[in-house]
Amino acid sequence: MKPELLAALRAAVGPTQVLTEGDLSAYELDWRRRWRGRAGAVVRPGSTAEVAAVVRACAAAGTAIVPQGGNTGLVGGGIPDPSGSQVLLSLGRMNRIRGVDTANLTLVAEAGCVLQSVQQAAAERGLLFPLSLAAEGSCTLGGNLSTNAGGTQVLRFGNARELCLGLEVVTAEGEVWDGLSGLRKDNTGYDLRDLFIGAEGTLGILTAATLKLFPAPRARVTALAASPTLARCVELLGLAQARLGAGLTAFEVMGRFALELVERHFPALPRPLAPAPWAVLLEFSASDDEDSARAAFEALLAEALDKGLIDDAALAASLAQGQAMWQLRESIPLAQAAEGVNIKHDIALPVSAVAAFVEATDAALTAQYPGARIVNFGHLGDGNLHYNLQVPEGGDGERFLDENEPAVNRIVFDAVVARGGSISAEHGIGALKRDELAARKSPVALALMRRIKRALDPQGLMNPGRVL
Ligand code: FAD
Ligand code: ZN
């Protein structure tokens, strides 16, 4: 990295916030430990003006910028390349809640705010910011919006895009676009906000956002149900939507092997139900009192038992019991990491196509890779599965990956695309799926995306090599 650029960066953010030596692995190694890069400098701005100054300095030097929030991304999107020539822009110090408008039901927060702190700021005012995912204790708002994160409440509240009313962005030229409007209606031209959301840092740097809040539900009840087949789980989803309406806030499915992994690596977690082919986690949020919410939920579960959609069910008797059920679900990615090397897929399908997809793809993979173990769980209510493959037990995991990952992906993605699905429902493209995107997205869509990229980032310095 040129000394003049380092000097300009130090002048922009202060010398102590430009890191060039020591252990930088917190920034250079990803959560899955699959990508390790080397940053020319890690730069930690504390304000929007400082971000703009950093971007201008990098633009003048022709130096690429990789933005990073909590570094929990799963597709290698926030890790610099190994050249040592890129600036890693860490937004973590930009963590202020700028304000809450309780009448407008909006909150303005900086991009480096940890998701949990945004949820807490809303809760302190008796309100709800519904975006929720297992990484919420360390992922940041900027990362959530840049990946258009999903999580467990999408069924009722939508993904990060639908929860964002406005953005503040530093453009690739180092200008500040203040689009923090808290308006629910604004039809004045192209929607710039929606261009930056989900762009994975390739079009500009998000520095703050205006978020939608909701009244907090008065009652929240959780249940776990055991089901013999995935097709019946899909039928249960339809029944739950019919009976509980918009009160159905989560519908998560977990395959038997996914929960076996949790049991193996987190033996202290309580298991309310005996192992079954499928477990479904349902959450019902209501604006009326707890007793009527429980009664509605109990009636649904009784009807589902009666219809043979489930074999067993447990309704959480307390908030703590409900949280323990959620902990089972949220421990699956951690249990998978503890078990060792795996291939992750984060796919979306029409809900009506999910069961047939799983049956056919399970069969194709186990025939091709004897001993491979399928870890299947996810947001069935959104047609989004984390359909992962844990390498055969006892073998050389890294070697299995080197030899087979592209072919495994081909089997899975061909089956997804054949059924009208998507190769990424929530984690994004990053470095991991860039070639798959190029191979599978329509040429017209790709050409439009490339033109947008060139128009907004003519020098190609915003997170190069990601997405496109
Ligand atoms: P990072 O990893 O730091 O960055 C992610 C991407 O956004 C990178 O491309 C980066 O360059 C870009 N970026 C970050 N900040 C900015 C910014 N301010 N401006 C421009 N670009 C930026 N994801 C889901 O959608 N649903 C889930 O249920 C879910 N569960 C998860 C569970 C676990 C245990 C883990 C580890 C991850 C999970 N994820 C999930 C993935 C991840 O947490 C989300 O993608 C999260 O939104 C990333 O936030 P982050 O701050 O860590 O972003
Ligand atoms: Zn998910």
Side-chain angles (χ1 to χ4, degrees):
M1 185 132 294
K2 289 208 182 90
E4 307 85 73
L5 175 58
L6 280 174
L9 295 172
R10 291 193 178 106
V13 298
T16 57
Q17 301 302 346
V18 178
L19 317 178
T20 53
E21 44 203 47
D23 179 12
L24 298 178
S25 53
Y27 305 97
E28 294 177 335
L29 180 65
D30 80 304
W31 188 86
R32 293 175 70 193
R33 313 179 82 78
R34 279 196 65 169
W35 289 271
R36 183 187 283 281
R38 198 163 70 76
V42 171
V43 181
R44 301 170 10 107
S47 68
T48 303
E50 289 186 7
V51 173
V54 169
V55 173
R56 285 195 299 271
C58 289
T63 294
I65 298 179
V66 180
Q68 189 183 87
N71 195 13
T72 68
L74 300 175
V75 293
I79 300 293
D81 73 14
S83 68
S85 68
Q86 301 185 323
V87 163
L88 187 292
L89 186 74
S90 170
L91 278 295
R93 286 179 63 228
M94 293 197 57
N95 58 5
R96 288 180 314 132
I97 304 287
R98 290 192 189 161
V100 181
D101 182 341
T102 52
N104 197 41
L105 288 175
T106 49
L107 177 154
V108 180
E110 291 182 344
C113 285
V114 169
L115 174 56
Q116 207 163 53
S117 70
V118 177
Q119 297 166 343
Q120 274 159 6
E124 279 160 19
R125 287 148 179 101
L127 296 169
L128 173 75
F129 181 60
L131 187 66
S132 175
L133 40 129
E136 64 198 21
S138 45
C139 66
T140 63
L141 186 57
N144 299 149
L145 288 166
S146 295
T147 59
N148 186 23
T152 57
Q153 303 283 302
V154 175
L155 184 60
R156 162 72 178 86
F157 297 102
N159 44 29
R161 182 188 302 283
E162 286 158 83
L163 297 170
C164 177
L165 290 171
L167 284 180
E168 180 186 83
V169 177
V170 171
T171 69
E173 273 97 17
E175 293 170 319
V176 179
W177 170 52
D178 179 351
L180 284 174
S181 135
L183 300 175
R184 282 174 171 72
K185 293 186 161 183
D186 180 11
N187 284 348
T188 51
Y190 302 141
D191 196 328
L192 301 175
R193 173 195 64 200
D194 274 351
L195 267 184
F196 289 104
I197 296 175
E200 302 183 47
T202 62
L203 300 179
I205 314 292
L206 313 191
T207 49
T210 304
L211 304 171
K212 265 188 212 172
L213 303 179
F214 297 81
R218 277 178 68 200
R220 192 176 262 186
V221 195
T222 309
L224 204 57
S227 181
T229 68
L230 193 53
R232 305 244 173 110
C233 297
V234 172
E235 280 186 63
L236 175 65
L237 171 66
L239 185 68
Q241 285 172 316
R243 297 290 178 266
L244 306 178
L248 182 68
T249 39
F251 193 96
E252 299 282 311
V253 76
M254 299 172 274
R256 184 201 289 262
F257 182 62
L259 285 178
E260 273 173 26
L261 281 186
V262 172
E263 201 161 357
R264 184 175 306 169
H265 296 285
F266 300 96
L269 288 182
R271 283 286 300 269
L273 296 179
W278 296 94
V280 182
L281 183 65
L282 302 98
E283 184 189 80
F284 178 45
S285 305
S287 50
D288 48 353
D289 62 282
E290 172 107 16
D291 286 345
S292 10
R294 298 184 74 81
F297 214 161
E298 269 162 10
L300 165 73
L301 294 173
E303 188 178 351
L305 273 167
D306 205 41
K307 292 194 154 109
L309 305 183
I310 58 177
D311 298 324
D312 197 2
L315 192 60
S318 64
L319 208 62
Q321 265 185 23
Q323 279 163 352
M325 289 174 178
W326 273 107
Q327 225 182 336
L328 283 176
R329 162 65 183 84
E330 299 197 329
S331 300
I332 297 173
L334 306 170
Q336 262 205 282
E339 179 75 6
V341 179
N342 55 72
I343 303 176
K344 284 193 193 297
H345 303 108
D346 143 50
I347 54 172
L349 290 156
V351 171
S352 48
V354 166
F357 161 83
V358 169
E359 194 180 336
T361 315
D362 278 6
L365 286 174
T366 43
Q368 189 72 24
Y369 305 102
R373 300 162 295 160
I374 292 164
V375 183
N376 191 354
F377 65 99
H379 320 288
L380 184 61
D382 315 321
N384 170 199
L385 292 180
H386 297 306
Y387 185 82
N388 302 337
L389 189 130
Q390 200 83 33
V391 305
E393 210 157 7
D396 178 342
E398 296 295 342
R399 188 161 151 209
F400 183 93
L401 230 60
D402 285 346
E403 288 173 356
N404 300 309
E405 186 168 12
V408 168
N409 289 343
R410 199 172 321 119
I411 292 175
V412 174
F413 293 151
D414 282 352
V416 165
V417 172
R419 290 173 173 82
S422 165
I423 64 168
S424 173
E426 46 179 27
H427 298 160
I429 299 300
L432 180 66
K433 300 203 190 93
R434 189 185 66 165
D435 295 344
E436 290 288 350
L437 187 81
R440 294 179 184 275
K441 196 101 180 163
S442 93
V444 177
L446 278 172
L448 288 171
M449 285 169 65
R450 291 195 179 107
R451 271 186 251 164
I452 291 168
K453 169 75 175 168
R454 273 198 297 275
L456 269 64
D457 178 24
Q459 287 196 86
L461 299 178
M462 296 283 111
N463 213 3
R466 311 305 152 89
V467 184
L468 291 170

